[in-house]
Amino acid sequence: MVAKITTPKSIEAALNYNEKKVQKGNAVCLHAANYLKDAKEMNFYQKLSGFERLNSLNERATTKTLHVSLNFGPSEKLTENKLLQIASDYMQKIGFANQPYLVYKHEDAGHPHIHIVSTTIKQDGSRINTHNIGRNQSEKARKERKEIEQTYGLIKAERQQQLAKSAIKAVDIEKAIYGKSETKRSISNVVSAVFSQYKFTSLPEFNAALKQFNVIADRGKEEGRIYKNRGLVYRILDANGNKAGVPIKASSIGCKPILSNLEKKFTDNETAKESLKPFVKIKLDDCLSQSPATMKELMEHLKQKNIYTLLRQNAEGRLYGITFVDNQNKVVFNGSDLGKGYSAAALQSRLTAGTEKSQKQDETKGGGSGGSIQKEMVQQKQQDKTIPLTAKTESPLDVLLSTKEQYDNTPNSLLKKKRKKKKRNL
């Protein structure tokens, strides 16, 4: 069990995060501890008021929120009752047993995990110290945490951290291409890990997983000897995606990722992939709900969810396919395999429609202050184009104090009389 503890500035933000997951069907609120009503009987504002009542007792405190996530191994099958028991034991050990807290079970990842939201303000208005709580109180209760792991038969945190550290490392191109031995070692490490860990059902899908680590499986040209003999070599890709370095034969790599063995993998992975499809779709839907304006923006959102996106384009640069590599669940899907709405064409159409809709909404806004301000700015720009530069830059005060000649008629009464010059007789 791995615990991650954060202390958001706003209790409303932490609650909102979990409640939105519930609305989307990606989470469920399992329990409301130390509340007068059951979690299912309360709406968002009733849950929030339970925290705000205590928070109002301490105006000086700046940190009043505790947000915990307890993460378990992907292979662990935990019932809701067991999750609640673990949550209760954990909150007791970090000193929050008597605090109101909500327990949410999230279902949008490949591993079981729960989120717990609570307040740090107690009934008497005092605050529970959360400074370094993740390191001090939780690690101080290390013995008790180990007991929880032992009691519930959980995978130990140290083991989960070791698995996280064993993540595949991309080939260092600059080092790998100088020499055959270094190239083979770098390629073998990546290929062996992807071959054994990822679920793919075709050579392009296998390559989609490899490419993010700067490696590609190459059959050569169709008229070539390697292709005709069902051979396969592995090569390094440079920063521009071009093949570089010495090609390595598939048969020389320890896990024997030759074409015939890959084809067996394709068949075996057909059924194994199906169970992971919903997890990938949930992540995609979550990213699309953030209304990305471009494909690049969508890819950035997916990257944050540990999904690598590969776009397939023809020689003219036209997009004709898209592949998603979920590195958390170690599975590869073509967009069209997830459903019609996830194909390259459908996603591109959706992004374009969203952008056009947003632009039309901005253009049609005229009733609000924002729309009127935009209209005034456009009108002002049009006026500026027709006004001469001198008239546009002079202020009324400049005009009044100007030394330019005035051609207006001046009343006689205001004109100064000229003195007549006397003629001198010479």
Side-chain angles (χ1 to χ4, degrees):
M1 181 183 77
V2 176
K4 295 180 181 179
I5 301 175
T6 57
T7 52
K9 291 184 178 180
S10 167
I11 188 74
E12 188 172 356
L15 186 60
N16 218 3
Y17 169 80
N18 288 280
E19 286 293 317
K20 281 186 177 180
K21 295 273 187 181
V22 173
Q23 289 176 3
K24 293 178 182 179
N26 299 335
V28 58
C29 188
L30 296 180
H31 183 56
N34 300 315
Y35 272 83
L36 296 176
K37 290 184 178 180
D38 188 71
K40 295 179 181 178
E41 298 174 355
M42 293 187 290
N43 58 30
F44 173 86
Y45 297 101
Q46 289 172 318
K47 293 172 183 175
L48 180 62
S49 65
F51 296 127
E52 289 185 332
R53 181 181 62 82
L54 293 178
N55 288 351
S56 64
L57 301 177
N58 190 325
E59 297 294 336
R60 292 179 300 173
T62 55
T63 303
K64 302 180 182 181
T65 308
L66 182 80
H67 193 179
V68 181
S69 69
L70 300 180
N71 302 270
F72 311 96
S75 60
E76 294 180 296
K77 307 297 180 184
L78 304 170
T79 64
E80 292 185 356
N81 286 335
K82 186 171 283 188
L83 288 172
L84 288 176
Q85 290 173 8
I86 293 170
S88 177
D89 285 358
Y90 186 83
M91 293 299 278
Q92 182 178 5
K93 293 181 188 305
I94 64 171
F96 279 76
N98 297 322
Q99 295 297 101
Y101 63 84
L102 299 166
V103 182
Y104 294 86
K105 177 189 176 185
H106 285 215
E107 299 172 336
D108 57 350
H111 67 282
H113 64 290
I114 57 175
H115 283 244
I116 307 171
V117 180
S118 186
T119 174
T120 63
I121 307 303
K122 297 196 288 187
Q123 291 285 352
D124 59 1
S126 62
R127 176 179 171 276
I128 299 174
N129 184 20
T130 55
H131 181 64
N132 286 332
I133 187 172
R135 186 174 63 191
N136 293 344
Q137 284 154 286
S138 187
E139 288 302 321
K140 190 177 179 182
R142 192 172 181 178
K143 183 179 178 182
E144 289 83 351
R145 176 173 61 79
K146 286 182 176 293
E147 287 179 0
I148 291 177
E149 291 171 345
Q150 188 173 359
T151 301
Y152 298 101
L154 305 174
I155 296 174
K156 295 181 179 179
E158 291 81 5
R159 174 58 180 160
Q160 283 186 252
Q161 289 167 354
Q162 285 175 4
L163 292 172
K165 287 180 181 178
S166 64
I168 306 169
K169 293 181 181 179
V171 172
D172 188 331
I173 303 166
E174 293 183 2
K175 292 180 180 179
I177 61 176
Y178 295 113
K180 188 173 181 179
S181 60
E182 185 63 35
T183 300
K184 183 177 180 180
R185 187 184 304 113
S186 301
I187 289 177
S188 297
N189 290 339
V190 170
V191 173
S192 298
V194 173
F195 181 79
S196 60
Q197 296 178 24
Y198 282 73
K199 293 174 179 61
F200 43 84
T201 53
S202 67
L203 189 61
E205 287 184 7
F206 182 48
N207 270 330
L210 290 174
K211 281 181 180 179
Q212 62 183 329
F213 306 114
N214 305 325
V215 176
I216 188 173
D218 185 15
R219 289 197 63 189
K221 296 179 180 180
E222 289 188 15
E223 64 274 12
R225 179 178 54 84
I226 296 177
Y227 188 93
K228 289 179 178 179
N229 294 329
R230 290 179 52 81
L232 192 65
V233 296
Y234 290 89
R235 306 190 69 167
I236 292 174
L237 296 175
D238 63 16
N240 297 318
N242 301 317
K243 298 167 189 174
V246 183
I248 303 299
K249 289 183 179 180
S251 57
S252 68
I253 297 175
C255 64
K256 301 298 179 185
I258 58 177
L259 189 59
S260 57
N261 287 340
L262 281 172
E263 288 172 343
K264 290 177 183 177
K265 279 271 187 182
F266 300 158
T267 305
D268 294 340
N269 288 336
E270 283 286 354
T271 53
K273 280 177 58 174
E274 284 302 312
S275 61
L276 297 171
K277 187 181 288 187
F279 297 113
V280 181
K281 291 175 72 173
I282 285 170
K283 290 183 180 182
L284 276 166
D285 290 339
D286 195 24
C287 291
L288 288 168
S289 68
Q290 299 177 49
S291 303
T294 62
M295 187 66 74
K296 184 178 180 181
E297 193 175 331
L298 173 61
M299 289 169 68
E300 283 298 319
H301 289 316
L302 289 168
K303 187 177 179 181
Q304 294 175 10
K305 292 187 176 293
N306 209 7
I307 290 182
Y308 169 74
T309 309
L310 179 67
L311 302 178
R312 301 194 299 281
Q313 298 171 308
N314 60 18
E316 289 76 30
R318 181 177 173 275
L319 182 66
Y320 67 87
I322 188 168
T323 303
F324 303 104
V325 184
D326 186 346
N327 290 306
Q328 182 179 12
N329 294 300
K330 301 289 192 295
V331 65
V332 186
F333 282 105
N334 287 323
S336 55
D337 293 338
L338 294 171
K340 290 183 180 179
Y342 303 99
S343 67
L347 289 173
Q348 214 168 20
S349 177
R350 181 170 178 175
L351 293 173
T352 304
T355 304
E356 290 176 353
K357 184 179 178 182
S358 178
Q359 289 175 347
K360 286 181 181 178
Q361 287 176 346
D362 291 341
E363 290 172 1
T364 54
K365 278 182 183 176
S369 59
S372 60
I373 290 172
Q374 288 179 349
K375 285 184 178 179
E376 287 176 13
M377 289 175 69
V378 172
Q379 291 172 358
Q380 185 62 44
K381 285 181 180 179
Q382 292 174 345
Q383 290 174 6
D384 289 349
K385 290 179 181 178
T386 59
I387 296 173
L389 184 61
T390 53
K392 189 168 61 176
T393 55
E394 289 182 339
S395 67
L397 185 61
D398 291 334
V399 174
L400 289 172
L401 299 179
S402 173
T403 58
K404 294 179 183 177
E405 290 183 345
Q406 304 290 329
Y407 296 97
D408 297 338
N409 292 329
T410 308
N412 290 329
S413 59
L414 296 178
L415 293 173
K416 290 185 178 180
K417 295 181 179 180
K418 292 183 179 179
R419 295 177 66 183
K420 294 183 179 179
K421 291 184 180 180
K422 292 181 180 181
K423 294 182 179 180
R424 294 182 182 180
N425 294 325
L426 297 176

